[in-house]
């Protein structure tokens, strides 16, 4: 038996106080003398970052820039802050003969992502956070379809909207195990995931400092599978949708159905090994929740509704976004 209706999983009875924040990884493209290649000039990179506070910083590669918002209990404030920071970064980059490209794949580059953080007040135990992350996860797979922005056309994959969803080593099914000895407590979260967080779609960040990451004052659920977004309405859509799912989620609904575990693994495996949901995602019905993306957004009362991936709205030929020079046409974020 699967979800009977959305009220079972998302309901005002389970309303919680939610704080949300966002991070966006973006390509920097060098346009000096019409190069249109990933930026690799150290002095230019440092000049760009010198214009910003610690909300804008260099990611793993010189050509990767990350923008991160302050946390807030107002999702519109977070979305607005992210959009304004992207506009500022775009202006500064153009002053340095560069442009930004907020997409998840450009040839010869590393994959980029869009991450959303959720925390609760009062704070929950680690186990409760895992339970909430698991209950939200099937809906996050639906919301992720709005963000697909790593398109490619080749002999291996044919035509798809997100190579990152298929090939990225930094996302994948959450590290969960099934224990059928105790039906009431059959979800086991791999404790090693605390030390190997970066390789899963949805993770729980504990309050610690590790490498370049900031200390978080509270534990957060981090949704990592979203592709980059360069369209204002889509940014608002994703953040509003995640906020509402986190706020009204019933943490018990997913545990109710024993078969959800195997279904979830099969679903994620299909995403990794086929074109399922990567060509016409708006027509796909989630086999766990039995809903389409427009049904979920209507139920949640999303004000910035979208039913197709944002690339359809702004690109005539979305496969061209894999070429750096194509981004010269656009002043991101597109509004």
């Amino acid at each position: 038996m699967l979800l009977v209706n959305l009220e079972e999983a998302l309901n005002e009875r389970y309303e919680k106080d939610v704080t949300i924040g966002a991070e966006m990884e973006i390509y920097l493209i060098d346009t000096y003398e019409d190069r249109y290649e990933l930026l690799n000039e150290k002095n230019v990179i440092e000049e760009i970052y010198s214009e910003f506070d610690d909300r804008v910083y260099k990611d793993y590669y010189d050509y990767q820039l990350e923008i991160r918002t302050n946390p807030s209990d107002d999702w519109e404030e977070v979305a607005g802050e992210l959009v304004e920071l992207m506009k500022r970064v775009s202006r500064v980059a153009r002053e340095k003969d560069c442009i930004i490209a907020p997409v998840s794949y450009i040839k010869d580059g590393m994959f980029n992502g869009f991450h959303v953080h959720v925390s609760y007040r009062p704070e929950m135990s680690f186990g409760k956070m895992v339970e909430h992350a698991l209950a939200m996860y099937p809906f996050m797979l639906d919301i992720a379809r709005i963000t697909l922005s790593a398109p490619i056309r080749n002999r291996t994959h044919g035509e798809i909207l997100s190579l990152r969803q298929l090939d990225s080593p930094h996302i994948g099914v959450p590290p969960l195990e099934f224990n059928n000895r105790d039906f009431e407590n059959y979800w086991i979260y791999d404790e090693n995931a605390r030390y190997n967080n970066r390789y899963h779609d949805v993770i729980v960040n504990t309050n610690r400092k590790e490498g370049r990451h900031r200390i978080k004052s509270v534990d957060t659920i981090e949704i990592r599978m979203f592709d980059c977004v360069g369209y204002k309405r889509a940014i608002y859509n994703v953040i509003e949708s995640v906020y509402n799912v986190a706020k009204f989620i019933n943490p018990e609904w997913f545990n109710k159905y024993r078969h959800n575990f195997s279904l979830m693994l099969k679903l994620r495996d299909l995403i990794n090994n086929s074109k399922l949901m990567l060509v016409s995602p708006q027509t796909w019905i989630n086999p766990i929740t039995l809903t389409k993306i427009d049904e979920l957004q209507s139920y949640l009362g999303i004000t910035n509704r979208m039913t197709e991936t944002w690339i359809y709205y702004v690109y005539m030929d979305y496969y061209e976004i894999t070429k750096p020079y194509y981004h010269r046409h656009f002043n991101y974020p597109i509004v």
Side-chain angles (χ1 to χ4, degrees):
M1 185 177 182
L2 297 174
L3 186 64
V4 176
N5 53 57
L6 284 171
E7 286 87 351
E8 185 178 0
L10 297 162
N11 197 294
E12 290 181 352
R13 295 199 307 271
Y14 307 104
E15 184 173 357
K16 296 167 282 291
D17 290 331
V18 172
T19 299
I20 195 166
E23 303 171 340
M24 184 87 77
E25 296 164 343
I26 295 173
Y27 288 113
L28 288 170
I29 297 174
D30 189 352
T31 64
Y32 182 68
E33 295 182 339
D34 291 330
R35 292 177 183 171
Y36 290 99
E37 59 189 29
L38 296 172
L39 183 61
N40 193 31
E41 297 288 337
K42 296 282 188 182
N43 59 329
V44 176
I45 292 165
E46 292 304 319
E47 288 177 9
I48 291 174
Y49 292 120
S50 68
E51 300 278 345
F52 299 96
D53 57 30
D54 65 358
R55 292 177 298 169
V56 178
Y57 71 102
K58 182 172 72 69
D59 206 14
Y60 290 105
Y61 297 89
D62 288 341
Y63 55 78
Q64 278 185 308
L65 173 149
E66 181 164 312
I67 297 172
R68 53 193 175 193
T69 71
N70 291 311
S72 174
D73 58 5
D74 183 343
W75 70 264
E76 287 188 275
E77 182 178 304
V78 171
E81 181 182 2
L82 181 57
V83 167
E84 287 307 309
L85 283 171
M86 289 175 69
K87 289 180 178 178
R88 285 179 54 198
V89 169
S90 181
R91 287 195 296 268
V92 170
R94 288 181 182 274
E95 291 171 1
K96 310 297 183 184
D97 290 315
C98 299
I99 59 174
I100 67 169
V103 291
S104 284
Y105 177 70
I106 285 179
K107 187 178 180 181
D108 299 324
M110 191 63 184
F111 290 117
N112 288 333
F114 174 22
H115 307 160
V116 180
H117 291 259
V118 170
S119 62
Y120 290 104
R121 297 188 309 275
E123 291 186 52
M124 299 177 180
S125 67
F126 182 75
K128 285 292 183 183
M129 292 286 279
V130 171
E131 189 175 44
H132 278 71
L134 180 62
M136 289 192 291
Y137 182 54
F139 300 106
M140 296 302 108
L141 289 172
D142 285 331
I143 297 167
R145 287 182 262 161
I146 299 300
T147 71
L148 302 179
S149 67
I152 193 168
R153 179 193 294 133
N154 62 23
R155 296 176 66 180
T156 302
H157 300 97
E159 297 182 355
I160 60 170
L161 286 175
S162 185
L163 181 66
R164 177 176 175 268
Q165 286 283 351
L166 298 183
D167 284 355
S168 176
H170 296 136
I171 52 177
V173 70
L176 298 160
E177 296 180 6
F178 179 70
N179 178 0
N180 58 14
R181 292 189 297 268
D182 183 357
F183 182 74
E184 296 300 321
N185 198 16
Y186 65 89
W187 291 109
I188 303 173
Y189 193 88
D190 180 3
E191 283 292 319
N192 291 326
R194 292 174 181 261
Y195 307 101
N196 194 20
N197 272 344
R198 60 189 289 201
Y199 301 109
H200 310 296
D201 289 352
V202 179
I203 63 177
V204 177
N205 285 311
T206 53
N207 182 15
R208 59 191 170 83
K209 184 174 179 63
E210 185 176 291
R212 64 190 177 84
H213 298 285
R214 296 180 298 180
I215 295 177
K216 295 179 173 64
S217 58
V218 295
D219 290 356
T220 67
I221 297 170
E222 182 178 356
I223 300 97
R224 299 179 54 85
M225 78 282 248
F226 302 135
D227 279 4
C228 291
V229 173
Y231 185 38
K232 178 180 176 181
R233 185 176 165 198
I235 292 171
Y236 274 71
N237 175 282
V238 171
I239 294 175
E240 181 183 8
S241 298
V242 172
Y243 178 86
N244 278 279
V245 170
K247 190 173 185 68
F248 298 112
I249 193 70
N250 170 13
E252 300 293 334
W253 86 266
F254 196 81
N255 285 350
K256 183 177 179 180
Y257 304 121
R258 186 182 292 263
H259 294 297
N260 274 339
F261 176 70
S262 59
L263 250 183
M264 183 181 72
L265 294 182
K266 289 177 181 177
L267 173 62
R268 197 61 179 88
D269 188 59
L270 280 170
I271 293 171
N272 279 338
N273 295 287
S274 76
K275 296 193 298 183
L276 177 68
M277 95 166 203
L278 298 181
V279 174
S280 299
Q282 72 278 8
T283 63
W284 185 70
I285 297 177
N286 189 321
I288 298 177
T289 65
L290 302 180
T291 59
K292 293 183 180 180
I293 184 65
D294 60 334
E295 294 171 324
L296 175 63
Q297 293 186 17
S298 294
Y299 177 78
L300 292 173
I302 301 302
T303 56
N304 298 275
R305 287 183 61 191
M306 292 181 65
T307 58
E308 292 183 329
T309 182
W310 72 277
I311 295 172
Y312 284 131
Y313 286 84
V314 298
Y315 291 103
M316 296 296 291
D317 181 355
Y318 47 79
Y319 295 103
E320 289 296 320
I321 73 165
T322 60
K323 300 175 183 177
Y325 70 81
Y326 191 69
H327 294 274
R328 70 188 186 280
H329 296 304
F330 299 100
N331 191 9
Y332 295 105
I334 300 165
V335 296

